Amino acid sequence: MTAIKKSASTVSTVPTVSEYVQRQWGDRRTGLRYGDLALTHHQIAAGAAARAALLTELLPRGVEPHLGVLLDNTPEFPFWLAAAALAGAAVAGINPTRRGPELARDILHTECRVLVTGRVHLPLLDGLELPGVRVLVTDTEEYERLLAPYEGARPGEATLGPVRPDSRFLLYFTSGSTGAPKAAICSQGRLAAAGEALVSQFGTGRDDVHYICMPMFHGNAVIANWAPALTAGATVALRDRFSASGFLDDVRAYGATYFTYVGRAIQYVLATPERADDRKHALRIGFGTEAGAVDADRFARRFGVRLVEGYGSSEGGAAIQRTPGTPPGAIGRPAPGGDLAVVDPSTGRECQRARFDEAGRLLNGADAIGELVNRGPNPFEGYWRNASADAERRRGGWYWTGDLFFRDTEGFLYFAARADDRLRVDSENLAAAMIENILARWERVTGVAVYAVPDPVTGDQVMAALSLRSVFDPSAFAEFLSCQPDLGTKMAPRFVRVLGRLPVTATNKVHRAGLRREGFWEGEGEVWWRPPGAESYRRLSEADATSQLPGPPGGPPARPARDRGGMG
């Protein structure tokens, strides 16, 4: 075994992730649970130290200190996060739903010289050209032999150089509507600060159990769940992959008190059969995005658990904090230190404050909805090797989130849509998220996504994809819409696609880009539509499609979507 280098000492008031990992040494309380496995904080620190020592030997000198982690949520994932922190390396979370050249591109773009994976994912690497990449397969005897010489390592002994707050720690991919995913940079100091802030916000501590069921290759699980658990000294409980049917059983088995969610995870849990013991658990709080006010209320009534909808740009450029008195539907006010504004992207001028009628309907959406920007200093640390994406985010010295918001006269901010989810119907700007929140009230709905399809003349028409508890009843749906006081005249969907389940990404976010591409021409499920001037919906027929609707670009009208049934 070659000599292990001693880390250089640094003086800083800003903590690092490495420091928090080192504090676990000697702590014999349970720090990690995974099925029947239970490890102490000390065992986690010892395992991380061994992996850090191995990493310093495997990474060639003079290269970027990056490793890729292509794993489900097994104990090896937090082991390698902690190991990278100790060694002063950066982890690129590799998405196992990526395939072929796209998967290879993610690994090579982030310059990973070591790739940690398991046997279950080895088929994904078959045939890929990954020059200079050393693959470690965790559930093998060879892996155990590689680690064995470093079993006596102590945290902080083996490093690749000085470990500082500004040391690069995460390279996590954020998807966009076009182009390849961008790898956002997060330093050790920023992640530690994020963990400390969430501990302060939610009052979690050493006795809490953080349930991580969202994928750890994504920023949500690491930044909003693993980091606060580490800084609080709490226990982490892992689930390989999110399971709606297994959620409550896991929560009970682990004694979980805190969890995070993204996308449609909450809808999936609510779609499981109700049980008499739904409230028998220790869970106190869930923190995440995109649950929506209706589902958050249903979750609280059924499980007795408060969901806190937060907003924090994955890149760190903007944050909104929920405070007491936040109105229903609002996210909150700008977090301390930010100078957030809602601006018209075409002019850079601040939008009008939102006005509502007595039913809570936004009256001036065309003038109030704009892009959320941070005009002050912010912790955005850039994208890896992507100068054009950096410039797009930092236009004019501001941080542009790419998300649409509106702001009321009291300063509360309301999420409207991703920038790509804005619709323009009859010259009126609409936000997909606002329409989704209304459609989610229908008792038959288990999932909803709203997106734009082209209008035959100009602009957009509203299309909604619905997953339902029963077959689609066009009359009942039309009656429901007519009873919604805040559904504007341009908001009612012209088209409805009924699906067994909404298509989602690996992070449980609705795959809107795919739905937009399919429009009313392709894809699964039934397609219904409301002809101009009609009050009810009918099945979209080939005759309707041929005579009434625009054809796909560059070709004649396509056949309507094939019927795959309307059960949810």
Side-chain angles (χ1 to χ4, degrees):
M1 180 172 114
T2 56
I4 297 173
K5 302 182 299 301
K6 297 291 182 181
S7 60
S9 60
T10 58
V11 178
S12 174
T13 58
V14 180
T16 63
V17 177
S18 175
E19 291 173 53
Y20 277 111
V21 174
Q22 292 181 57
R23 293 178 193 180
Q24 293 181 306
W25 187 260
D27 188 340
R28 307 295 176 175
R29 296 176 304 115
T30 300
L32 187 147
R33 295 190 62 188
Y34 174 74
D36 295 331
L37 177 68
L39 300 176
T40 66
H41 290 285
H42 177 81
Q43 287 174 312
I44 296 167
R51 287 159 178 78
L54 172 62
L55 184 64
T56 61
E57 299 299 331
L58 292 181
L59 281 176
R61 298 299 178 259
V63 303
E64 296 294 346
H66 297 173
L67 68 145
V69 178
L70 175 61
L71 292 171
D72 294 329
N73 290 358
T74 67
E76 287 291 341
F77 210 125
F79 265 137
W80 278 101
L81 285 173
L86 294 175
V91 172
I94 306 300
N95 184 343
T97 67
R98 302 271 283 173
R99 294 292 186 273
E102 291 183 343
L103 179 62
R105 179 264 173 197
D106 292 349
I107 298 167
L108 297 177
H109 171 68
T110 46
E111 301 182 52
C112 297
R113 293 305 183 99
V114 172
L115 178 67
V116 181
T117 190
R119 284 185 293 179
V120 67
H121 292 314
L122 283 179
L124 299 179
L125 305 179
D126 286 347
L128 297 190
E129 294 292 331
L130 299 173
V133 178
R134 173 71 179 269
V135 178
L136 300 183
V137 186
T138 59
D139 46 352
T140 62
E141 292 182 1
E142 179 188 8
Y143 180 71
E144 295 301 323
R145 286 196 299 270
L146 285 172
L147 278 177
Y150 305 100
E151 287 183 356
R154 294 175 65 95
E157 288 182 335
T159 74
L160 296 161
V163 179
R164 301 184 297 260
D166 62 354
S167 295
R168 194 181 311 125
F169 180 55
L170 296 178
L171 297 169
Y172 51 97
F173 288 100
T174 62
S175 59
S177 59
T178 59
K182 304 179 290 292
I185 298 169
C186 180
S187 66
Q188 289 213 24
R190 180 158 80 87
L191 186 66
E196 291 174 340
L198 287 171
V199 168
S200 175
Q201 180 179 350
F202 295 122
T204 54
R206 289 161 55 92
D207 296 330
D208 279 289
V209 178
H210 288 229
Y211 177 52
I212 301 181
C213 55
M214 297 292 101
M216 294 191 74
F217 65 77
H218 186 253
N220 168 273
V222 176
I223 298 173
N225 210 338
W226 181 76
L230 178 69
T231 57
T235 300
V236 165
L238 295 177
R239 173 87 185 200
D240 279 3
R241 298 182 183 182
F242 171 72
S243 167
S245 61
F247 176 83
L248 194 56
D249 290 337
D250 278 355
V251 164
R252 287 203 187 96
Y254 294 131
T257 58
Y258 173 93
F259 79 106
T260 59
Y261 60 88
V262 292
R264 290 299 180 261
I266 295 301
Q267 286 185 349
Y268 296 150
V269 174
L270 288 171
T272 61
E274 293 190 24
R275 292 159 36 175
D277 58 354
D278 276 344
R279 285 182 170 235
K280 292 183 178 179
H281 54 74
L283 198 61
R284 296 199 319 271
I285 195 162
F287 176 56
T289 62
E290 301 183 39
V294 173
D295 285 335
D297 181 62
R298 289 174 178 167
F299 199 88
R301 283 189 279 111
R302 178 173 168 183
F303 298 105
V305 177
R306 180 170 64 104
L307 297 186
V308 177
E309 284 280 296
Y311 176 86
S313 167
S314 297
E315 294 86 341
I320 300 171
Q321 193 170 74
R322 191 173 185 85
T323 56
T326 298
I331 301 296
R333 286 192 169 107
D339 180 15
L340 303 190
V342 178
V343 304
D344 182 338
S346 62
T347 65
R349 298 194 184 96
E350 195 161 352
C351 294
Q352 294 180 9
R353 294 297 176 107
R355 293 183 288 106
F356 306 93
D357 64 13
E358 59 278 2
R361 181 172 59 192
L362 181 64
L363 297 175
N364 60 335
D367 297 316
I369 296 174
E371 187 168 347
L372 184 70
V373 302
N374 190 345
R375 301 178 296 193
N378 64 82
F380 174 53
E381 296 173 302
Y383 297 108
W384 180 252
R385 304 277 196 238
N386 198 329
S388 61
D390 281 352
E392 179 66 17
R393 281 283 185 233
R394 291 174 163 138
R395 300 193 309 274
W398 294 351
Y399 176 85
W400 296 74
T401 66
D403 292 328
L404 303 179
F405 276 77
F406 54 95
R407 192 174 199 168
D408 66 19
T409 55
E410 300 299 319
F412 289 102
L413 289 157
Y414 299 71
F415 177 74
R418 306 299 178 195
D420 292 330
D421 292 331
R422 171 180 272 187
L423 304 86
R424 189 166 179 83
V425 180
D426 291 340
S427 299
E428 183 175 334
N429 291 323
L430 305 175
M434 298 174 64
I435 305 174
E436 289 174 354
N437 287 337
I438 295 172
L439 299 186
R441 299 171 190 160
W442 197 27
E443 67 277 2
R444 303 189 187 199
V445 165
T446 59
V448 57
V450 169
Y451 49 99
V453 291
D455 183 88
V457 180
T458 184
D460 303 319
Q461 287 289 347
V462 180
M463 187 162 186
L466 304 178
S467 60
L468 303 174
R469 304 180 195 279
S470 59
V471 294
F472 180 71
D473 184 334
S475 298
F477 184 62
E479 182 179 357
F480 160 78
L481 293 178
S482 69
C483 296
Q484 306 310 304
D486 53 347
L487 185 73
T489 57
K490 308 292 175 54
M491 291 181 173
R494 173 61 58 85
F495 302 95
V496 176
R497 183 184 296 282
V498 181
L499 297 166
R501 182 168 179 166
L502 297 183
V504 295
T505 66
T507 55
N508 289 303
K509 296 184 177 181
V510 173
H511 192 12
R512 284 185 176 81
L515 289 170
R516 281 194 293 264
R517 285 194 298 269
E518 291 175 353
F520 34 71
W521 300 103
E522 300 175 355
E524 306 290 329
E526 305 171 350
V527 175
W528 296 74
W529 81 307
R530 181 173 48 80
E535 296 183 358
S536 60
Y537 289 82
R538 72 186 191 204
R539 286 289 297 272
L540 180 66
S541 68
E542 187 165 354
D544 291 331
T546 301
S547 62
Q548 300 289 331
L549 305 177
R559 186 178 302 276
R562 56 193 178 279
D563 184 2
R564 291 298 181 96
M567 297 297 291

